[in-house]
């Protein structure tokens, strides 16, 4: 049930560095529960097809995610699935296979269901030419039927080095109403260290034009913990970004995992800020954003109070999906493209990470699903608890008990016991079966959610990033 009793604003956390360091362990980001590490290859395209068919009965709106894996240059920090190339024509065969995937998926979907949300990610979606982007929109519209509803959320990730004012005007004509700009840091020294030289003027010009064109929401991505960053230097970047007045701002923690992500081996680990410096960067950033009037949505997301993300947080309708926090709850998410993940009905389904495997499946006339998971009753219950905790920063377990017809006190006894120390340390308050994160607990919400996760003992913590 939506929770309208809680104001959207939240007090700044009482900063206790020793406490934060003690709880700064590795753990999931919970863009799904169970996480992608639980997906298995016994789940096939036939299982996904059945889920698509089952989903029609619920008449939920659709959310479409399209993964464009191409980038002209590799940023050293990047952990996304991408292909570095300067050849724009490589997108052509990929677009043809995307269309084949759309056709195969749409056969099983009632396409009168509205497409409430559309997100193009990557890679760099603006790697495509303007005509290729128009072609992709036309194909999506032909297969699923896109919306012109003012309440739609149609977003695209933009690399300011790959776009100009003409790109923005074209994207607006295609129906996009939200932009997400990758900035990471405006400091030239940091940019050189991560192989992403992006003059401030590029970002500033695009943001000014986006505001002038009237895009409904503009997001800027920043990363803290990158090489050569310090508290004062990152504060200078953040001050410049705040002056540009984006509606949303994401402040991601850089996870240095060079054994998993080859480009990160090009980063000099000696230049990374230490744990104390990273905490100082985070603390000052939160203070600056709070003074500038941004609402801390949860984890690494901030938004102005009038933005749809902040309104969804206030209304209790915020959701998490594989793109982070979303204001469009209860949509069935269909992921298209290499590595894309779908969340439909009671399943997750993922496409191959390798482009050759993705292409081979579609050339064989079948959906490219290579692994996934159908949730059991316990998974569904715990997914609801973890998602509401991550979105609302509180959870009413009694209400969960009523919804799923369980004795919540008994069902979650182990989880509640696991949170005893966190309660004593001031990370949450408890009133019967209502748990609420304190201001400092909101920074560690992943840790609180982990108490309800029964899959962690089967996975290595090293596979996850640290919380802060």
């Amino acid at each position: 049930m939506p929770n309208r009793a809680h104001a959207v604003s939240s007090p700044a956390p009482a900063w206790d560095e020793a406490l934060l360091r003690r709880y700064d362990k590795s753990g999931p980001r919970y863009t799904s529960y169970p996480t992608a590490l639980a997906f298995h290859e016994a789940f096939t395209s036939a299982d996904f097809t059945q889920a698509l068919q089952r989903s029609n009965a619920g008449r939920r709106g659709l959310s479409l995610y399209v993964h464009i894996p191409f980038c002209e240059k590799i940023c050293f920090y990047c952990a996304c699935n991408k292909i570095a190339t300067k050849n724009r024509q490589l997108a052509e065969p990929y677009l043809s296979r995307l269309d084949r995937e759309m056709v195969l998926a749409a056969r099983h979907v009632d396409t009168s269901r509205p497409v409430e949300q559309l997100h193009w990610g990557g890679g760099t979606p603006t790697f495509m030419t303007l005509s290729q982007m128009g072609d992709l929109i036309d194909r999506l519209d032909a297969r699923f039927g896109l919306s012109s509803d003012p309440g739609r959320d149609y977003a695209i990730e933009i690399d300011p080095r790959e776009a100009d004012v003409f790109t923005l005007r074209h994207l607006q004509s295609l129906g996009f109403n939200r932009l997400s700009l990758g900035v990471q840091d405006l400091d030239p020294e940091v940019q050189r260290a991560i192989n992403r030289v992006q003059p401030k003027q590029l970002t500033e010009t695009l943001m000014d034009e986006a505001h002038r064109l009237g895009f409904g929401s503009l997001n800027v991505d920043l990363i803290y913990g990158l090489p050569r960053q310090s508290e004062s230097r990152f504060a200078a970047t953040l001050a410049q970004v705040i002056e540009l007045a984006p509606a949303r701002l994401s402040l991601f923690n850089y996870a240095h995992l060079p054994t998993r992500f080859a480009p990160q081996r090009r980063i000099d680990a000696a230049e990374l800020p230490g744990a104390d410096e990273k905490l100082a960067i985070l603390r000052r950033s939160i203070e600056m954003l709070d003074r500038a009037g941004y609402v801390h949505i949860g984890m690494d997301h901030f938004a102005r109070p009038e933005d749809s993300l902040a309104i969804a947080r206030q209304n209790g309708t915020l959701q998490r999906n594989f793109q982070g926090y979303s204001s469009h709850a209860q949509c069935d998410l269909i992921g298209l493209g290499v590595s894309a993940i779908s969340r439909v009905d009671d399943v997750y389904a993922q496409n191959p990470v390798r482009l050759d495997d993705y292409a081979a499946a579609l050339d064989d006339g079948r959906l490219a699903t290579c692994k996934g998971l159908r949730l059991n009753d316990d998974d569904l219950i715990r997914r609801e608890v973890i998602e509401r905790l991550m979105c609302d920063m509180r959870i009413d377990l009694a209400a969960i008990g009523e919804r799923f017809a369980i004795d919540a006190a008994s069902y979650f006894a182990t989880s509640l016991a696991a949170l005893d120390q966190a309660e004593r340390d001031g990370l949450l308050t408890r009133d019967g079966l209502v748990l609420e994160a304190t201001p400092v607990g909101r920074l560690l919400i992943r840790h609180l959610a982990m108490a309800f996760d029964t899959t962690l003992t089967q996975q290595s913590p090293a596979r996850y990033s640290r919380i802060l």
Side-chain angles (χ1 to χ4, degrees), residues 318-392:
L318 197 64
Q319 186 187 34
R320 275 186 74 72
N321 60 26
F322 296 103
Q323 285 73 60
Y325 286 103
S326 167
S327 59
H328 284 61
Q330 305 307 319
C331 285
D332 280 316
L333 168 64
I334 299 176
L336 301 165
V338 62
S339 79
I341 303 177
S342 300
R343 171 179 164 168
V344 175
D345 198 53
D346 56 355
V347 310
Y348 300 118
Q350 184 169 16
N351 286 343
V353 171
R354 293 182 66 250
L355 183 58
D356 288 348
D357 294 336
Y358 171 74
L362 292 165
D363 291 348
D364 195 37
R366 55 188 169 84
L367 285 169
T369 305
C370 66
K371 59 182 176 179
L373 181 70
R374 185 169 187 183
L375 280 64
N376 59 34
D377 289 344
D378 182 65
D379 293 334
L380 292 168
I381 293 169
R382 293 179 182 277
R383 177 170 75 175
E384 180 68 13
V385 170
I386 289 172
E387 184 166 17
R388 295 312 340 137
L389 189 58
M390 296 290 292
C391 291
D392 302 336

Side-chain angles (χ1 to χ4, degrees), residues 275-351:
D276 289 347
E277 189 73 16
K278 281 185 71 174
L279 275 180
I281 292 172
L282 179 61
R283 178 179 186 174
R284 188 162 175 184
S285 297
I286 291 174
E287 290 172 348
M288 290 175 67
L289 289 167
D290 182 63
R291 285 199 303 271
Y294 284 87
V295 175
H296 192 178
I297 300 298
M299 286 179 52
D300 32 38
H301 286 62
F302 300 80
R304 293 197 173 279
E306 65 275 11
D307 185 78
S308 60
L309 207 61
I311 293 169
R313 162 79 188 278
Q314 184 174 21
N315 293 341
T317 58
L318 197 64
Q319 186 187 34
R320 275 186 74 72
N321 60 26
F322 296 103
Q323 285 73 60
Y325 286 103
S326 167
S327 59
H328 284 61
Q330 305 307 319
C331 285
D332 280 316
L333 168 64
I334 299 176
L336 301 165
V338 62
S339 79
I341 303 177
S342 300
R343 171 179 164 168
V344 175
D345 198 53
D346 56 355
V347 310
Y348 300 118
Q350 184 169 16
N351 286 343

Side-chain angles (χ1 to χ4, degrees), residues 223-243:
I223 298 178
Y224 73 97
L226 293 173
R228 303 182 190 174
Q229 282 181 340
S230 67
E231 178 186 356
S232 59
R233 293 173 74 167
F234 192 79
T237 280
L238 186 56
Q240 295 174 77
V241 170
I242 289 172
E243 188 175 344

